[in-house]
Amino acid sequence: MKRLKVMTVFGTRPEAIKMAPIVMELAKYPQYIQPVTTVTAQHREMLDQVLSLFNITPNYDLDIMAPGQNLFDITHRAMQGLHQVMEKEQPDLVLVHGDTTTTFAGALTAFYHQIPVGHVEAGLRTGNKYSPYPEEMNRKLTGSLTDFHFAPTISSRANLNREGIDSANIYVTGNTVIDALLATLNQPYNFSETGLANVRFDESRVILVTTHRRENLGEPMRHVYQALKSIVEIYSDVEVVFPVHKNPLVRNIVQQELGNLARVHLIDPLEYQPFVNVLARSYLILTDSGGIQEEAPSLGKPVLVLRDTTERPEAIEAGTVKLIGTSRQDVFDHTCLLLNNKMEYEKMANACNPYGDGKAAGRIITAILNRLGYIPDSPQDFVCPKK
Ligand code: UD1
Ligand code: UDP
């Protein structure tokens, strides 16, 4: 039987983290699969950190990132590069992940080449075209171009069903981020080797902060940072660890509002292994990240989400995540509540795994091989464990 040529396409840090388990799983079946790993490098340093941790050497690196890139730049540079790679390689299947502009460009380019598309992390929706922007439309448009939908949870499958997608083409797999998280936390790690050695994890309560969403750039971010500043001034046992995204639009405001403050550690984006170890040792997380909302519940860490909408209702239902928006007062009040009230804190600090069991990549590759006639059995759906 001819080997199946499976091309993975990704470009940003979170896509790389979530596709790494898939790249590794594809490599386990050399008798059936010829993998072609293609990165757009929509991110550069933040992507390279992940590639090196997981020992991934791409077959193609389009190196598209440019300072101050806009959505048009990313879309057209990614499509131009991907068109050439797909034309040359003629893959049998293209796998894209999630909701970035690389994702949509990858799916659209595959469609133009009439190559089937598999969408990993399919079916997340807020129902709001502009929130998150442009991710909600990226994932919806990608869904319309997709042949095999790998939905992390039953609620993401239900979103796809509502859009008329047949369950026969949807697999509930869990999220591959939990594969990556569990594998990474399994490795020994020592903080003394990093710039985090001076963070007093044992004596202080560490608030871990990340922000990057386009709809939060400008005033919303400024308000969040002002709230954080007041919190650090009031609580002498609180330290903030803030790995600041490489986007200069984020970095400028962070520096203006939080630069040179005692007990606020403004650092460069962390590699994934130190990052998840900080996550595991933090008291509380404030973030507008999607992936962190999925990781933190596994570690029993409360998350306050700095957004007005979320496509990840599972952790809210489980009680470990609260959607608080970006107003200065709300951020201040919700954070203070968790710092002041042990019962409120304990209510949120439940370890649970609504997003996966660490076996998502295995299910996805099994589904592909079964669907394309290489193996007899299809995977069992991921079932969220009962609390
Ligand atoms: C992108 C994705 C977003 C995802 C996020 C993860 C789109 C439109 N946005 O947003 O869905 O949640 O990645 O972090 O696809 N930069 C660097 N080095 C890097 C990475 C970024 O310098 O390694 C700078 C560049 O100046 C770039 C800017 O950050 O212009 C913004 O990057 P971009 O990929 O356009 O948007 P993100 O906000 O990172
Ligand atoms: N992350 C990381 N280093 C950091 C901050 C985040 O490795 O300094 C990881 C985090 O564990 C998660 C992913 O990056 O898996 C989330 O990326 P981001 O918040 O940029 O994107 P999103 O998930 O919102 O698309």
Side-chain angles (χ1 to χ4, degrees):
M1 213 169 172
K2 172 185 171 291
R3 285 205 304 164
L4 193 65
K5 199 182 263 194
V6 180
M7 181 167 153
T8 45
V9 175
F10 49 99
T12 63
R13 166 176 65 193
E15 290 169 89
I17 292 166
K18 291 169 165 185
M19 285 297 253
I22 292 192
V23 171
M24 292 190 285
E25 192 70 19
L26 287 169
K28 289 186 189 164
Y29 297 91
Q31 71 280 34
Y32 299 137
I33 295 175
Q34 180 188 349
V36 181
T37 310
T38 303
V39 297
T40 61
Q42 173 179 334
H43 285 172
R44 187 69 275 169
E45 309 90 303
M46 286 162 60
L47 172 74
D48 292 342
Q49 287 181 335
V50 185
L51 297 178
S52 97
L53 174 68
F54 291 100
N55 283 319
I56 296 173
T57 308
N59 300 94
Y60 296 92
D61 185 331
L62 306 179
D63 198 22
I64 68 165
M65 195 193 90
Q69 63 195 3
N70 61 37
L71 298 175
F72 308 96
D73 301 327
I74 307 170
T75 309
H76 101 249
R77 284 197 211 118
M79 283 191 75
Q80 240 168 11
L82 289 170
H83 162 49
Q84 284 171 15
V85 179
M86 287 186 205
E87 191 162 65
K88 176 168 171 232
E89 291 288 344
Q90 301 287 324
D92 300 297
L93 178 68
V94 169
L95 291 179
V96 294
H97 179 278
D99 57 16
T100 71
T101 295
T102 286
T103 312
F104 173 54
L108 185 59
T109 311
F111 167 69
Y112 284 168
H113 279 278
Q114 300 188 23
I115 300 166
V117 175
H119 186 198
V120 180
E121 197 182 86
L124 277 65
R125 297 287 184 272
T126 62
N128 183 331
K129 186 174 172 182
Y130 290 106
S131 179
Y133 169 79
E135 289 82 5
E136 176 74 359
M137 288 313 288
N138 280 344
R139 56 195 169 216
K140 243 184 128 167
L141 294 165
T142 301
S144 306
L145 300 165
T146 291
D147 300 273
F148 307 120
H149 305 259
F150 302 110
T153 65
I154 49 174
S155 98
S156 41
R157 176 174 62 194
N159 290 336
L160 293 168
N161 290 149
R162 271 192 291 278
E163 290 172 15
I165 294 165
D166 192 329
S167 286
N169 296 324
I170 308 174
Y171 298 86
V172 179
T173 61
N175 197 309
T176 55
V177 78
I178 306 299
D179 302 25
L181 176 73
L182 299 181
T184 306
L185 281 177
N186 245 339
Q187 310 291 323
Y189 184 75
N190 188 345
F191 278 105
S192 64
E193 291 161 15
T194 72
L196 295 163
N198 60 345
V199 180
R200 294 171 306 152
F201 284 102
D202 293 329
E203 301 92 75
S204 303
R205 292 186 288 180
V206 168
I207 302 182
L208 176 62
V209 182
T210 78
T211 56
H212 73 278
R213 299 238 80 86
R214 269 182 161 70
E215 66 275 14
N216 283 346
L217 290 171
E219 288 312 291
M221 279 186 194
R222 192 177 296 283
H223 293 153
V224 169
Y225 306 152
Q226 287 169 348
L228 270 171
K229 186 175 176 183
S230 308
I231 286 159
V232 174
E233 281 164 2
I234 295 169
Y235 296 89
S236 58
D237 68 330
V238 163
E239 289 192 41
V240 170
V241 174
F242 190 165
V244 186
H245 192 286
K246 283 280 180 191
N247 189 341
L249 298 175
V250 177
R251 295 177 91 84
N252 290 344
I253 313 174
V254 171
Q255 205 49 51
Q256 284 164 20
E257 299 296 337
L258 295 171
N260 301 318
L261 277 188
R263 288 176 284 110
V264 176
H265 307 266
L266 301 181
I267 53 178
D268 270 335
L270 285 167
E271 292 187 18
Y272 188 58
Q273 191 184 22
F275 185 79
V276 294
N277 279 281
V278 175
L279 197 59
R281 298 193 63 184
S282 295
Y283 188 75
L284 171 64
I285 326 294
L286 264 65
T287 188
D288 61 10
S289 164
I292 297 169
Q293 289 178 62
E294 294 157 343
E295 292 162 338
S298 290
L299 302 171
K301 300 297 173 182
V303 182
L304 297 177
V305 179
L306 305 164
R307 293 174 48 182
D308 299 323
T309 58
T310 183
E311 57 291 87
R312 292 168 170 91
E314 298 83 357
I316 291 186
E317 280 155 25
T320 60
V321 164
K322 246 187 224 164
L323 196 62
I324 65 163
T326 51
S327 96
R328 184 177 171 170
Q329 194 64 49
D330 285 341
V331 173
F332 181 81
D333 289 347
H334 283 283
T335 307
C336 291
L337 181 67
L338 293 182
L339 291 171
N340 293 341
N341 188 324
K342 194 76 187 154
M343 259 172 58
E344 286 297 325
Y345 181 87
E346 292 300 337
K347 264 201 320 214
M348 287 187 78
N350 294 317
C352 65
N353 284 309
Y355 293 110
D357 56 4
K359 298 178 184 160
R363 290 190 185 93
I364 291 167
I365 307 311
T366 304
I368 293 169
L369 288 174
N370 170 258
R371 220 24 211 268
L372 299 179
Y374 287 75
I375 58 173
D377 296 323
S378 59
Q380 298 283 317
D381 277 353
F382 162 66
V383 181
C384 176
K386 293 248 177 309
K387 276 177 71 185

